[in-house]
Amino acid sequence: MVTAIDERRARDGSDVAGGIDWREVAHVALLSRALDEFELSELVPQGKAKYQFSSGGHELGQAILSQLLTQPFDWAHVYYRCRPFMLGSGMTATEALLNTMALSGSLTEGRDLPAVFNLPRRKRAIVPANAADIGSQFCVAAGTAQAIQFRVNELGESEKAASIAVVYGGDGATASAGFWAMLNAATTLCLPLLIVIEDNGYAISTKSWRQTPGGNIAANLASFRNLTIWEGDGTEPAEVARLLRTAVSHVRQREGVALLHTTMPRLCAHSGVDTAAYKTDEEKAAERLRDPLPKLKHFCIGQVMTEHEWDALEAAVKAEIHAAYAEASTHAEAPAAEATRYAYFEPPQVQLHGGMLAEGITMPRGDETPRPAEQRRLTMVEAIRRTLDVELSINPRLLLFGQDIAVKGGVHAVTQGLMQRHGDQRVFDTSLNEEAIMGRAVGMALAGLMPLPEIQYRKYTDACYESINNCGGMRWRSANHFAAPLVMRTSGGYRRVGDPWHSVTSEVSYTHMTGWRVAVPSNAEDATGLLRTAMRGNDPVIFFEHRFCYDSPWSRRPYPGDTFMLPFGKGKLIQGGDQLTVVTWGAMVELCEEAAKQIDAAIDLIDLRTLSPWDKDMVLASIRKTGKCLIVHEDATFGGFGAEIAAVIADEAFFDLDAPVARLGSPLVPVPFSSSLMAGVVPDVAKIRAKMEAQIRL
């Protein structure tokens, strides 16, 4: 029997069982489809659409799910087919067109593709800047889910107890490394995460059965522990609404990770430049029969609205788009001068989401004055450990994690005892998957924590290069809406022996990444000051620890105190002279000092300490005094960071030079295991001394 209350709810569009506003669902679905059609029929032919990605066939579930994410700390990680979800989460039609037209006022200020979204919280979920890399969103989502869990359980933020993270992906993305890394981490930790896989049967032109056995990822995951799976038809309104309500409730009630696998047609080509010629006419006709919009219309008419009201809604949507286009057309392209803004934090303009500063949390200030309480010289290992211990004590949002860092205390013993002192929720081991480590770190940083992931060796960061790169560029890509301040610790270089896997330096590769600060300390005191600055900063930092420096007697220094902080971009003059400038960093500082002692010459020896930024002013001032320069680094000479320094010197101090700039590095081969072979690769004191002498003679 239908009651008067049922009739009223049907008229205003709210769903009795789950509070779904079906009028809004219809509006979002129609708006998304009409935007696609307007762009393809009007903007693309006129050359005003820089790139076009349609969501035809995907509208229904996304419009519904956007309504269900109403908790203030709900997070949603989207992919390029998610414009309906974005519209339901608060993105306007004007912003959608501005994104497509790459104009000022768009969500990225024209910096990124129109289908690479970000949306600071409006009425619903927070949508951090996604990336166009397939599968890169998954581990980041696991990180935000873990941050929710941590903030509730460890920080006592009970108001976030019902918050969840949602991540979208297509069927093709389930073949990515990121998907499996996320799945393993999320289910192992029972994170509050809902995974929505939209299966339209194609990854561009590749069919689902080539992506996963049998073409159904849900069936293949049936035995995964701590994972509850739902499947359904993403084109049927009542069915997809029921599935989404159930899955969201499951995760909100902390019953484990949920995966919803829905099928739908892809009524569009992959993108505006794709012809979809790989689909037969029969396949296209079959897809059109599964279009969710006619089904949504049939569902709504008689239950939510009349046919006349549906027609009026369609007309209103068209008018909305034309009004949005008129408004968007008044916007200009972003000025060229804006292209370099937001690569790094630009005080006082704090990002809207991500890191502690965005939530108004500031750390104590320090200074550059060492205040050792005792003169015992610590190894770099001890200094880093003590610095981490202090910061863990004063910052409850600081987390250390990585392979073997907790129970074992790290492969280099740097984190030894920290888990026992601060607990296994602050210092914890992870699975053997660098992508899961780094991706989760980004998600945690987005959600207001200060993560310190450790990747054991520089070579191992190759496995998470994508996440590192995307993290650094997030502030720039989102026009300062989102940032992920964190500190990634890693090691490398030879110790007593070398090898191609544990002795890689190649720190120059990090300096090419937008947004990252790069520190390469040579001694215990500098390691303390730079690490503390990194942990209290608002940019992501790569903290490179050379294995030779870990326990070298030369690198030992008294602990400089709990307030000691060093600014990035400020080098250190190890010794002064007017005959030669030597520029170096990391393990080479000690070797250069030893070589300088063996020759009768006055040498300016500069330890850069950080490479991004590097102390250009100190180097150029020294060149003006000496007229000659030698740059020494362990990395390969070819394409090494020394080439950048040499180029700047030639560009800005050419007339101060009395001789060409010289460089000493390694040949373009890996570090060998054999000690005799390693002697033929890595610069040593004898090679450095000979190069110094040759440069002075010029």
Side-chain angles (χ1 to χ4, degrees):
M1 186 175 81
V2 178
T3 67
I5 293 177
D6 293 330
E7 289 178 350
R8 177 180 58 78
R9 285 175 171 164
R11 283 196 304 272
D12 67 20
S14 61
D15 180 86
V16 176
I20 293 173
D21 185 340
W22 286 102
R23 287 181 181 271
E24 184 187 318
V25 170
H27 173 258
V28 168
L30 288 169
L31 179 60
S32 179
R33 182 70 62 86
L35 280 167
D36 288 343
E37 293 170 353
F38 179 76
E39 289 168 348
L40 288 170
S41 64
E42 299 289 336
L43 300 188
V44 170
Q46 296 176 38
K48 294 182 179 180
K50 311 295 184 183
Y51 205 74
Q52 208 283 333
F53 255 103
S54 297
S55 303
H58 290 243
E59 298 93 348
L60 181 59
Q62 293 185 27
I64 294 171
L65 182 55
S66 65
Q67 289 190 27
L68 302 179
L69 301 182
T70 55
Q71 290 289 321
F73 212 60
D74 282 346
W75 290 78
H77 300 261
V78 299
Y79 75 125
Y80 54 82
R81 206 75 73 191
C82 278
R83 185 155 67 178
F85 180 87
M86 297 298 297
L87 292 168
S89 298
M91 182 177 76
T92 67
T94 300
E95 288 172 326
L97 291 174
L98 288 171
N99 287 351
T100 299
M101 299 164 73
L103 297 176
S104 180
S106 70
L107 294 173
T108 70
E109 292 293 329
R111 293 159 182 254
D112 213 331
L113 291 170
V116 180
F117 302 105
N118 77 84
L119 190 69
R121 186 173 192 270
R122 291 181 179 175
K123 56 182 179 179
R124 288 170 183 157
I126 306 165
V127 185
N130 66 305
D133 304 313
I134 303 302
S136 63
Q137 71 274 28
F138 290 120
C139 287
V140 179
T144 55
Q146 190 168 354
I148 292 169
Q149 192 176 73
F150 180 87
R151 293 184 67 162
V152 172
N153 297 339
E154 300 301 314
L155 301 183
E157 299 179 11
S158 58
E159 72 279 5
K160 296 180 175 62
S163 296
I164 66 173
V166 172
V167 60
Y168 271 101
D171 52 288
T174 65
S176 69
F179 175 80
W180 292 98
M182 172 269 303
L183 195 65
N184 187 60
T187 54
T188 299
L189 299 172
C190 292
L191 299 178
L193 179 65
L194 169 59
I195 306 158
V196 181
I197 300 301
E198 297 188 320
D199 188 347
N200 60 33
Y202 284 89
I204 303 184
S205 65
T206 304
K207 293 188 177 182
S208 296
W209 61 268
R210 292 187 182 274
Q211 300 287 335
T212 191
N216 185 337
I217 190 65
N220 294 331
L221 294 174
S223 62
F224 233 85
R225 288 197 175 188
N226 301 326
L227 178 68
T228 303
I229 298 173
W230 288 272
E231 292 190 81
D233 188 336
T235 70
E236 294 291 342
E239 180 178 354
V240 74
R242 175 182 57 81
L243 290 170
L244 283 166
R245 287 196 304 257
T246 304
V248 168
S249 175
H250 175 92
V251 181
R252 289 209 191 282
Q253 294 174 24
R254 300 302 189 257
E255 296 179 9
V257 182
L259 186 146
L260 175 59
H261 174 247
T262 57
T263 59
M264 69 279 295
R266 193 186 78 195
L267 299 173
C268 49
H270 170 69
S271 69
V273 297
D274 176 30
T275 63
Y278 41 82
K279 290 184 180 181
T280 66
D281 291 340
E282 291 76 17
E283 287 173 321
K284 292 177 182 178
E287 286 182 328
R288 286 193 292 272
L289 290 175
R290 297 191 62 219
D291 186 341
L293 290 195
K295 295 182 179 184
L296 178 60
K297 178 179 180 180
H298 178 75
F299 175 84
C300 288
I301 291 175
Q303 298 188 69
V304 176
M305 63 181 76
T306 66
E307 186 162 2
H308 175 74
E309 289 174 316
W310 179 275
D311 293 341
L313 181 58
E314 285 186 320
V317 162
K318 290 181 180 179
E320 181 178 355
I321 288 175
H322 285 290
Y325 177 62
E327 169 61 25
S329 297
T330 66
H331 290 241
E333 292 191 348
E338 292 288 304
T340 56
R341 293 197 65 193
Y342 305 130
Y344 299 94
F345 172 45
E346 299 177 7
Q349 298 181 45
V350 179
Q351 64 274 11
L352 298 180
H353 290 285
M356 299 188 299
L357 199 57
E359 297 187 22
I361 298 172
T362 57
M363 296 297 294
R365 291 184 177 182
D367 57 52
E368 299 176 55
T369 304
R371 296 180 178 85
E374 56 179 329
Q375 292 305 308
R376 185 175 76 86
R377 290 161 58 86
L378 304 184
T379 65
M380 186 186 283
V381 166
E382 293 174 305
I384 293 173
R385 183 192 303 137
R386 184 162 175 178
T387 307
L388 293 172
D389 188 16
V390 170
E391 295 301 303
L392 281 164
S393 298
I394 65 175
N395 183 0
R397 296 187 179 215
L398 182 64
L399 293 86
L400 276 60
F401 51 95
Q403 295 161 25
D404 305 307
I405 75 148
V407 177
K408 177 179 172 63
V411 292
H412 305 299
V414 174
T415 54
Q416 197 170 69
L418 295 181
M419 182 199 75
Q420 292 78 6
R421 180 172 170 81
H422 298 281
D424 62 4
Q425 298 303 303
R426 304 282 307 286
V427 183
F428 53 89
D429 290 321
T430 67
S431 59
L432 205 161
N433 190 302
E434 285 79 14
E435 173 62 23
I437 295 170
M438 194 62 210
R440 281 157 59 198
V442 175
M444 292 177 194
L446 282 167
L449 303 181
M450 173 48 77
L452 262 74
E454 178 185 303
I455 307 296
Q456 290 178 348
Y457 297 99
R458 159 64 188 89
K459 181 69 176 68
Y460 298 175
T461 68
D462 291 351
C464 55
Y465 192 90
E466 183 176 79
S467 286
I468 296 171
N469 206 8
N470 291 346
C471 172
M474 186 180 298
R475 184 191 301 276
W476 182 89
R477 290 187 291 109
S478 67
N480 206 38
H481 291 160
F482 291 89
L486 57 88
V487 181
M488 186 194 82
R489 293 179 46 248
T490 192
S491 70
Y494 67 94
R495 200 165 188 177
R496 295 173 183 86
V497 295
D499 69 80
W501 313 106
H502 303 87
S503 304
V504 173
T505 53
S506 60
E507 61 273 12
V508 68
S509 59
Y510 297 133
T511 65
H512 263 128
M513 292 181 173
T514 298
W516 282 96
R517 308 288 186 181
V518 180
V520 191
S522 66
N523 61 78
E525 180 180 287
D526 288 354
T528 294
L530 292 170
L531 183 57
R532 180 167 288 119
T533 298
M535 288 188 286
R536 297 186 184 185
N538 194 36
D539 282 313
V541 175
I542 290 170
F543 196 81
F544 189 87
E545 301 163 10
H546 198 291
R547 295 195 297 156
F548 179 81
C549 300
Y550 270 150
D551 56 5
S552 162
W554 181 92
S555 295
R556 299 179 185 187
R557 302 284 192 280
Y559 178 70
D562 295 345
T563 61
F564 183 63
M565 297 175 67
L566 287 175
F568 277 50
K570 186 173 182 179
K572 182 177 183 179
L573 187 65
I574 303 298
Q575 66 178 51
D578 59 6
Q579 291 180 269
L580 175 66
T581 298
V582 176
V583 183
T584 189
W585 55 89
M588 293 293 107
V589 179
E590 175 183 349
L591 303 189
C592 286
E593 186 181 57
E594 179 61 30
K597 289 178 180 178
Q598 296 179 11
I599 60 178
D600 184 18
I603 295 175
D604 247 13
L605 176 56
I606 297 173
D607 178 359
L608 285 182
R609 304 197 287 199
T610 67
L611 300 185
S612 183
W614 63 281
D615 197 340
K616 181 179 71 172
D617 292 341
M618 176 178 279
V619 171
L620 295 181
S622 178
I623 296 292
R624 286 192 291 270
K625 179 174 61 172
T626 67
K628 297 177 181 179
C629 183
L630 169 64
I631 304 163
V632 181
H633 56 67
E634 185 178 332
D635 195 3
T637 305
F638 182 83
F641 193 71
E644 169 65 18
I645 298 172
V648 170
I649 293 171
D651 202 30
E652 301 188 31
F654 180 79
F655 293 105
D656 296 315
L657 291 172
D658 297 326
V661 176
R663 291 181 290 150
L664 177 62
S666 298
L668 197 57
V669 297
V671 179
F673 180 55
S674 160
S675 297
S676 61
L677 290 175
M678 188 172 74
V681 173
V682 178
D684 58 19
V685 172
K687 293 176 186 175
I688 296 170
R689 184 184 67 243
K691 199 74 172 178
M692 286 178 174
E693 290 173 334
Q695 193 69 356
I696 289 170
R697 286 195 299 267
L698 292 175

